[in-house]
Amino acid sequence: MIDHHQVPVAETRRTDRLLLRLPKADDLPFLTELFAKPELVAHRPVPRLDSPEECAARLARDRAHWKDHGFGRWAVIANGNLIGFGGVTVSKEFDGLNLSYHLDPQSWGNGYATELVQESVSFAFKDLGARRIIGLVRSANPASQKVLQKSGFSFEREVMLHGAPTNLYSLTP
């Protein structure tokens, strides 16, 4: 993989139905509302709502990742509305870039997750020269498992993530 500091920042990308852009500080109210939805946090290793402070820290980490690496999770816009965040980040625990996304439950079932994942995979392999992408999904989240499988990921093994059994999926070019 190329040196991340030499990667041209892909601040915005478009798919057929999505605009992917850099997260902004004024995304915080949406992010705070998103991580206060029980149906969203139910699929996380620690299924509890995030405080506004935790959401602010999450957004700050995402913005810092962009500054440090020239890429990261995008804000995801559909039909002119912010519906979530997702993309690839440097994994500190596993070999490969980590694919992750959190979309507003009101947007579920429209294929946005698959569209986001496929664009993220294309970006990681073509633009970043990634050699491996991982996706971590709880077994209680069959919809996300299906999104990864439709996008070419294969189940690799079960790992413990934040004390919870989690399925590790991977994809190579």
Side-chain angles (χ1 to χ4, degrees), residues 24-169:
K24 300 185 293 190
D26 61 1
D27 292 335
L28 184 57
F30 173 85
L31 184 66
T32 302
E33 185 180 307
L34 182 66
F35 279 90
K37 295 186 177 196
E39 60 269 42
L40 178 97
V41 300
H43 299 295
R44 297 172 56 202
V46 180
R48 65 168 182 72
L49 307 180
D50 281 0
S51 70
E53 295 79 18
E54 289 168 315
C55 290
R58 173 187 302 277
L59 184 58
R61 280 191 310 272
D62 278 351
R63 290 169 50 89
H65 191 282
W66 273 96
K67 184 178 181 217
D68 294 344
H69 301 285
F71 68 96
R73 281 187 281 267
W74 290 288
V76 180
I77 313 294
N79 300 315
N81 297 308
L82 180 59
I83 63 165
F85 300 88
V88 292
T89 56
V90 174
S91 175
K92 295 177 183 171
E93 299 178 50
F94 301 99
D95 178 39
L97 293 180
N98 182 33
L99 169 76
S100 63
Y101 59 90
H102 297 96
L103 300 179
D104 188 318
Q106 292 179 348
S107 71
W108 293 356
N110 293 303
Y112 294 138
T114 300
E115 198 167 323
L116 169 63
V117 166
Q118 290 174 352
E119 184 65 20
S120 298
V121 165
S122 175
F123 171 73
F125 289 144
K126 292 178 182 173
D127 295 64
L128 300 179
R131 297 285 170 240
R132 183 170 190 258
I133 304 171
I134 61 155
L136 299 160
V137 181
R138 301 241 351 251
S139 57
N141 190 350
S144 277
Q145 291 177 41
K146 185 177 178 182
V147 167
L148 292 180
Q149 291 165 347
K150 279 197 306 190
S151 300
F153 284 76
S154 298
F155 174 79
E156 191 172 297
R157 68 184 189 274
E158 186 176 272
V159 298
M160 292 300 286
L161 184 64
H162 306 292
T166 304
N167 295 326
L168 186 147
Y169 287 80

Side-chain angles (χ1 to χ4, degrees), residues 12-20 77 115 119:
T12 58
R13 292 179 75 91
R14 291 193 179 275
T15 67
D16 287 343
R17 301 177 301 154
L18 302 175
L19 169 66
L20 308 175
I77 313 294
E115 198 167 323
E119 184 65 20

